[in-house]
Every structure is written in C-alpha cells, then in structure tokens.
Amino acid sequence: MRVSGAVVVIAVLDGGSGADLARRFTAAGAAGMLIADQHVGIAEDLAAELDRPGCPVVGVCGDIRRPSDVAALVDTAEKHLGPIDLFCVAGPEGERVVSLADLPDHLDLERLAELVALIGEAIGELVPPQRRPSESTATAA
C-alpha cells in the first residue's frame, strides 16, 4: 500500500478513532486527507490540527453507513484534494483500509456502488458482533 503522495479518506464509526490513523498517514507523506466523523466538530478539530502545506486536511461530519454520505465524502474529497487513493474505515474493533487503485479517477454511479459495497464489508469487519443486527432482527419487517 503506497501512502506517500496518496489522497486518503478516513471515515470514523461510533466507537472508533481516526486520530492515530490520520497522524500515521501524515507522517508517511500523504498528499491530502479528508476525515469524516459522525459527531460534529471531531473531524474538523483533527483536520485543523493536522493541516499543513503539502498535506491539506479537510474535516467533515458524515456517516458512511449512508450511501448518500459516502457520495458526498467522495465529491468533497475530489473537489478539495483530487482523486482518492485510499478509503479507510476506523471502527471500535480497529481499522480497515480500502485501496481504490482498481477504480477510475472519477467515481461514476456504478463504481460508487462498488465503493459502497467495499465500505459495507469494512464496517462489518470493524463493528463488534454484539452491535450487529441479529438475523431475526434484520429479517423482521
């Protein structure tokens, strides 16, 4: 995984923290980062702390469990930082990094759906089993 020169999105789930991950990417030479947290002010404060010449950092409030928020994060990152190289999910059980090397520079709707699926898999890996919906709850309508 190439970090030097990469544009990185870090999305934080409830119970997770993107601070250490963001600091590691900054130290490794990331070209820019967008940090998203579900709670207002958290990502913005971290972005203000880490923003520097050569690695602009943008902080936004967003919930990656919603496809519309994923689309907004992608748009914001591409607008301010350029094409995304790495999309990271930080959850209560750790971190997962999704490389976008196989996706085109600009994510069209089909590729965005692929990204949403990858993020869904990452969330599944990082959310403790006791916080996941049970089979009976998930299928009850």
Side-chain angles (χ1 to χ4, degrees):
M1 172 179 56
R2 182 183 64 83
V3 174
S4 181
V7 171
V8 181
V9 172
I10 300 172
V12 182
L13 298 169
D14 261 348
S17 172
D20 289 339
L21 185 59
R23 288 184 181 96
R24 290 194 314 260
F25 279 124
T26 300
M33 279 188 290
L34 181 137
I35 304 167
D37 195 289
Q38 297 172 8
H39 304 286
V40 176
I42 302 291
E44 295 88 337
D45 290 347
L46 182 58
E49 173 191 331
L50 297 176
D51 188 60
R52 63 176 173 73
C55 183
V57 182
V58 177
V60 298
C61 185
D63 184 350
I64 61 165
R65 294 172 297 177
R66 295 187 198 128
S68 61
D69 280 13
V70 173
L73 293 178
V74 168
D75 287 343
T76 301
E78 288 184 341
K79 176 182 175 187
H80 293 282
L81 306 169
I84 301 166
D85 299 299
L86 302 171
F87 199 110
C88 311
V89 178
E93 297 295 305
E95 305 155 351
R96 167 87 190 280
V97 179
V98 176
S99 176
L100 303 187
D102 296 332
L103 298 178
D105 287 343
H106 179 73
L107 294 173
D108 59 24
L109 291 178
E110 182 179 319
R111 294 299 191 179
L112 184 58
E114 291 177 29
L115 176 59
V116 169
L118 288 171
I119 292 168
E121 290 173 18
I123 291 171
E125 292 175 10
L126 299 176
V127 175
Q130 66 272 20
R131 292 182 56 188
R132 294 182 196 152
S134 68
E135 284 293 317
S136 60
T137 305
T139 57

